[in-house]
Amino acid sequence: MPDTATLATPLRRIADLPGPRPWPLVGNLLQMRPLRFHQDVEAWCREFGPLFRMSLGPTQALVVSDHKLVSAALRDRPDGYRRPAVTEHIAKEMKGRPGVFLEEGAAWREQRRMVMAALAPHAVKAYFPSLVAVALRLQRRWASAADSGATIDLADDLKRYSVDIVAGLAFGTEVNTIDGGEDVLQRHMDRILPAVSKRSLSLFPYWRYVKLAADRELDHSIAALNTAIDALVAEARARLAADPARRERPANLLEAMICAAEDDGTGLAEDAVAGNVTTMLLAGEDTTSHTLAWMLYLLQQNPAALEAARAEVQRVAPAAAAFTIEQMDALDYIDACAQEAMRLKPVAPYIPLEALRDSVVGDVAVPAGSLVWLVMRHDSMSDDHVARATQFDPSRWLDGGVMNKQVSMPFGAGVRTCPGRYLALLEIKIATAMLLGSFDIASVATADGAEPEELSGFTMSPVGLRMQLRKLSPPSGE
């Protein structure tokens, strides 16, 4: 149905829209830097406006950057739009399990109920002590770095923090990469999502005919990950069968998903449960760690905001060892810092969709099967929609702030909003409160002091951020 146009408005065709001039056969693909293509599309938005066309090889896409039209498309899922079929085909070709990230229609609705139950705030709160335990491990690691004057690889340490939390919650098994252990699952996961992104934009599926060394390593990682998760699902079902009381208070998200699926009467197969645990691991590892890294960098660049964040931590949650869920829920300024970091540096700066039916976006006719490329960071960085748009100002998100919260949508919109939103923000608050309550941040910067580059894979990450810390005197009660 039309989004903002009236039925009397003459409709334009995607082919008639302005846009970058395509090259024969490859379209605009070779005009986009492989690891910075999100920035190239954003630059085209500034040149060609909120609706334009671009070509990904032989596929013509409608690019949409107006936040109202972006929101309307996101809210028209799963009936009007889906993730591009090519992404699903690539994932299934890579033996991906069914999960809420890839499923559509009725299958998605069945699985959504199970995942939402497992990731609901009351369920996540039951795992709170485990989250704090991981943060305290990270605190000890950073204290050692502060004592020795060592420089911290911020992305690596925050990824360890996220992996330890997500794997522990997902499986109920102790995973400790923070203290130097290697998590085999993490090593395999690090190969999978970048491969999905790269193959989805590939002009030719060479891997179906010739396997390079990287493709053989990917196949090995996929098989190993699936085998490991199958074993973990079987162990969880065995624990639930042996101790029926666990069904009332599942000890981890895997058990919660199994119970939710059975209680819901959907009769979901183990593949669906395993697929959603895999999705949580893959999606939860990078997104939270990258947001945290960007937020700490932006706080360091803005001393007034950093001091306001530290003052809130000292007032609300000064002692990491005594953190409570109520304290974390009360960290409003830290939450605002996370929202502002996600506005400026969203880990998902674009979302590609495929139209399931003939529709209209703005004044453009969109035939069924068309690719629609949603740019998530255009209006949120425009002074037309956000005052002082390029500045880091968490106060705009607080009560009395002037931020239009419909302009920035880091977790999506509509019924397909990210189900892990509460968990992600809780992880961010715990890590930030631990850091600001225990250390003074001497620096968060790249080796040459330049602004960190944005690296676009399946998510957008900062490149080369290093952190140096100084220990604070222990607060009362620590």
Side-chain angles (χ1 to χ4, degrees):
M1 62 175 61
D3 292 312
T4 61
T6 66
L7 294 176
T9 303
L11 296 179
R12 295 184 291 171
R13 300 183 308 158
I14 296 176
D16 296 334
L17 297 176
R21 185 175 180 179
W23 294 358
L25 300 178
V26 299
N28 302 118
L29 280 175
L30 297 185
Q31 301 165 39
M32 300 160 68
R33 295 166 295 173
L35 300 179
R36 308 283 190 276
F37 60 84
H38 68 290
Q39 294 176 331
D40 297 325
V41 177
E42 289 171 347
W44 287 334
C45 290
R46 295 189 289 272
E47 180 178 356
F48 298 110
L51 293 167
F52 66 92
R53 51 137 187 89
M54 71 175 180
S55 299
L56 304 176
T59 302
Q60 190 167 245
L62 170 65
V63 182
V64 183
S65 62
D66 178 280
H67 73 274
K68 293 181 181 178
L69 300 179
V70 168
S71 177
L74 291 174
R75 294 176 187 282
D76 196 15
R77 297 182 298 170
D79 298 321
Y81 293 93
R82 56 162 292 156
R83 293 191 182 276
V86 63
T87 301
E88 180 184 4
H89 294 158
I90 292 296
K92 289 184 176 179
E93 181 181 62
M94 291 167 58
K95 297 181 174 60
R97 303 291 183 78
V100 291
F101 183 79
L102 289 175
E103 291 287 17
E104 302 290 340
W108 169 81
R109 288 185 174 89
E110 289 180 350
Q111 295 191 32
R112 173 76 171 186
R113 288 191 291 270
M114 173 184 69
V115 173
M116 288 298 289
L119 290 174
H122 73 274
V124 172
K125 288 177 181 180
Y127 315 130
F128 182 74
S130 298
L131 274 66
V132 174
V134 175
L136 291 175
R137 285 208 299 265
L138 186 61
Q139 181 189 51
R140 292 191 294 271
R141 179 180 175 90
W142 284 355
S144 177
D147 286 338
S148 65
T151 299
I152 294 164
D153 183 328
L154 191 56
D156 182 70
D157 273 19
L158 291 178
K159 183 176 287 190
R160 289 171 183 266
Y161 167 74
S162 292
V163 166
D164 284 7
I165 283 180
V166 173
L169 293 188
F171 304 133
T173 57
E174 180 74 10
V175 175
N176 186 356
T177 64
I178 287 176
D179 289 334
E182 181 189 21
D183 178 29
V184 175
L185 291 181
Q186 178 191 352
R187 180 159 42 85
H188 294 313
M189 288 188 298
D190 285 345
R191 294 190 181 123
I192 293 173
L193 277 184
V196 174
S197 180
K198 182 178 179 181
R199 289 185 176 186
S200 294
L201 291 173
S202 178
L203 280 171
F204 178 72
Y206 74 87
W207 57 88
R208 295 173 186 167
Y209 308 97
V210 178
K211 294 281 189 181
L212 304 180
D215 300 303
R216 292 191 292 272
E217 289 178 355
L218 175 63
D219 289 344
H220 170 71
S221 289
I222 292 168
L225 183 63
N226 285 340
T227 298
I229 289 176
D230 283 343
L232 290 165
V233 172
E235 291 170 8
R237 289 193 184 276
R239 288 194 300 270
L240 290 168
D243 183 7
R246 294 177 75 100
R247 294 183 177 277
E248 298 301 318
R249 297 181 64 86
N252 53 74
L253 292 177
L254 175 54
E255 292 180 7
M257 285 190 208
I258 293 172
C259 293
E262 294 176 352
D263 293 345
D264 198 38
T266 57
L268 292 175
E270 284 196 9
D271 256 9
V273 174
N276 282 298
V277 173
T278 306
T279 296
M280 180 182 171
L281 284 171
L282 293 172
E285 176 194 9
D286 285 349
T287 52
T288 303
S289 60
H290 292 165
T291 296
L292 258 170
W294 282 121
M295 189 179 89
L296 295 179
Y297 169 75
L298 291 166
L299 281 170
Q300 177 68 5
Q301 295 294 306
N302 295 271
L306 177 58
E307 286 311 306
R310 185 185 303 281
E312 181 182 65
V313 169
Q314 291 174 342
R315 183 180 70 256
V316 176
F323 279 168
T324 67
I325 190 68
E326 291 77 18
Q327 289 175 331
M328 297 301 104
D329 287 344
L331 291 173
D332 295 332
Y333 192 79
I334 300 298
D335 185 273
C337 290
Q339 300 294 341
E340 185 72 341
M342 291 186 287
R343 179 184 71 84
L344 293 168
K345 301 292 186 180
V347 294
Y350 66 93
I351 297 178
L353 299 177
E354 181 181 312
L356 291 171
R357 61 186 177 219
D358 293 347
S359 60
V360 176
V361 176
D363 64 345
V364 178
V366 179
S370 298
L371 180 63
V372 178
W373 189 280
L374 306 180
V375 177
M376 306 302 292
R377 188 180 58 171
H378 181 266
D379 284 3
S380 63
M381 291 291 288
S382 167
D383 287 333
D384 292 337
H385 300 280
V386 181
R388 306 177 311 280
T390 60
Q391 296 182 22
F392 180 77
D393 181 10
S395 66
R396 71 174 88 241
W397 293 91
L398 300 174
D399 290 342
V402 296
M403 182 66 196
N404 177 358
K405 296 181 181 179
Q406 303 304 313
V407 173
S408 178
M409 297 169 278
F411 293 101
V415 295
R416 293 205 72 153
T417 299
C418 174
R421 179 180 184 276
Y422 182 81
L423 174 59
L425 290 172
L426 185 57
E427 288 183 54
I428 289 170
K429 290 178 182 179
I430 291 172
T432 305
M434 176 277 290
L435 172 63
L436 298 184
S438 306
F439 304 97
D440 177 43
I441 303 176
S443 67
V444 177
T446 59
D448 60 3
E451 182 176 351
E453 294 186 7
E454 299 176 353
L455 180 67
S456 185
F458 203 83
T459 57
M460 188 186 79
S461 61
V463 178
L465 279 181
R466 316 283 293 181
M467 182 170 70
Q468 287 189 307
L469 299 175
R470 291 187 291 265
K471 290 171 71 173
L472 296 177
S473 299
S476 175
E478 188 75 58

